[in-house]
Amino acid sequence: MKVNDGLSIGALADRTGLAVSAIRYYEAQGLIKPWRNAGGQRRFERADLRRLSFVMIAQQFGFTLPQIKAQLDGLPGGRTPTKADWAKISEGFRAALDTRITTLTRLRDNLDGCIGCGCLSLEACALYNPTDRAAKNGQGPRYLMGDSPEPIAGPKG
Amino acid sequence: MKVNDGLSIGALADRTGLAVSAIRYYEAQGLIKPWRNAGGQRRFERADLRRLSFVMIAQQFGFTLPQIKAQLDGLPGGRTPTKADWAKISEGFRAALDTRITTLTRLRDNLDGCIGCGCLSLEACALYNPTDRAAKNGQGPRYLMGDSPEPIAGPKG
DNA sequence: GTAATTTCTAAACCTAACTTTAGGTCAAGA
DNA sequence: TCTTGACCTAAAGTTAGGTTTAGAAATTAC
């Protein structure tokens, strides 16, 4: 025996660097679907190594597990990404990254304009409602505003 | 009466856009220190509006509440940031932002090199161990690795 | 064959940053 | 005065992404 009965969860953990508990959690979230052997233990395909690599990379890009699952589910036939799939998915990653970089850069530039302004009274400040992290919980405007500490002869910042 | 007995928590909430519960939470975390009126209700200084604005902005920059508290506590006399303080603090913000932008940009460039590579078997891939979000919990190497799906005649990516 | 190692499940626990709830008190307006 | 509405505390609940624990069963090693 031991022809091709798949990888144990421990083997998968060793080869990905993930904790066994994390792999079980990913299964619970629907990211991987191992089968069970006669004794009820999980057995994984080698392709699951690539699926997990994909998950780990996508997390670095800031995707949540449901989003990652959506990307994996979106593959025809629910297969693990091939080279061609990966190229396609990568473009999505690139777009997401570009957006984040742009947002942060704008934030930084606004900050540069604000340094020395001192106006934490922000109705007119460039940092007012910076569009990033907006409406994080749908909890209302969450606008930034302070009192006017003193008349500010400040710039447009 | 009603000369200058401070702002109620509701007034503060209205003017900052924060929830009342959030303001109480910030007090519990030591970010603001209101006094109590005769009836035991919180009363805030107008300067607390600026303190809270500062907290909200710093959060947008990705600082945690303990980090923000440290910045506020670091001000001489524990006062609310003045114009000069703000300029100084802003430089810290800018440095933090620059770091994040640099990291994301490098990640994106590595991704560009990897598109079309298809190797989610990442020992040699540029996305291998991307230094961002590294050792998030001190949980060990968390290296990214897959099996070799097929011999790859790929580039250096 | 037996001991040591893995694996199993379910449930509880963890952090951050809050919100919600329950049961009461205070303050302001008609 | 009476009645809302704002406020109080303490404790529990929430979300994401897991980890830890406990007790039992399977597998591997010798």
Side-chain angles (χ1 to χ4, degrees), chain A residues 1 16-17 26 33 72 89 150:
Chain A
M1 304 79 197
T16 58
Y26 292 156
K33 300 192 194 309
L72 285 172
I89 288 171
E150 52 200 355

Side-chain angles (χ1 to χ4, degrees), chain B residues 78-146:
Chain B
R79 56 182 152 71
T80 293
T82 64
K83 184 168 172 173
D85 295 323
W86 170 239
K88 193 161 174 104
I89 287 171
S90 296
E91 286 181 41
F93 281 172
R94 189 177 159 41
L97 268 184
D98 280 344
T99 299
R100 281 213 272 164
I101 291 170
T102 300
T103 301
L104 285 179
T105 302
R106 190 170 54 236
L107 196 58
R108 183 192 60 192
D109 293 346
N110 286 344
L111 180 64
D112 285 349
C114 264
I115 289 183
C117 156
C119 67
L120 286 176
S121 160
L122 293 170
E123 278 187 278
C125 180
L127 285 172
Y128 174 86
N129 204 17
T131 72
D132 191 9
R133 196 198 146 115
K136 60 172 255 198
N137 275 333
Q139 294 290 348
R142 287 211 170 237
Y143 48 91
L144 298 172
M145 192 181 81

Side-chain angles (χ1 to χ4, degrees), chain A residues 16-153:
Chain A
T16 58
L18 288 167
V20 165
S21 60
I23 296 175
R24 289 202 193 100
Y25 179 76
Y26 292 156
E27 182 192 0
Q29 302 309 304
L31 295 170
I32 40 177
K33 300 192 194 309
W35 71 91
R36 301 301 178 110
N37 72 0
Q41 296 192 353
R42 290 172 181 81
R43 288 300 177 252
F44 298 84
E45 302 173 26
R46 296 180 65 74
D48 288 328
L49 287 164
R50 278 206 284 166
R51 267 181 104 84
L52 290 181
S53 290
F54 175 76
V55 171
M56 295 167 82
I57 292 175
Q59 280 190 303
Q60 304 225 4
F61 282 75
F63 290 99
T64 65
L65 293 185
Q67 288 170 334
I68 295 167
K69 175 172 155 53
Q71 293 225 0
L72 285 172
D73 289 350
L75 295 171
R79 56 183 152 70
T80 291
T82 64
K83 184 168 170 173
D85 296 322
W86 170 238
K88 192 160 175 110
I89 288 171
S90 296
E91 287 180 40
F93 281 172
R94 190 181 149 63
L97 268 183
D98 281 343
T99 299
R100 282 211 274 162
I101 291 170
T102 301
T103 301
L104 286 179
T105 302
R106 191 170 53 237
L107 196 60
R108 183 193 58 193
D109 293 346
N110 286 343
L111 180 64
D112 285 349
C114 265
I115 289 183
C117 157
C119 66
L120 285 177
S121 159
L122 293 171
E123 277 187 278
C125 179
L127 285 172
Y128 173 85
N129 204 15
T131 73
D132 191 9
R133 195 199 146 114
K136 60 172 257 198
N137 275 331
Q139 295 291 346
R142 286 207 172 241
Y143 48 90
L144 297 171
M145 192 181 81
D147 64 324
S148 286
E150 52 200 355
I152 297 168

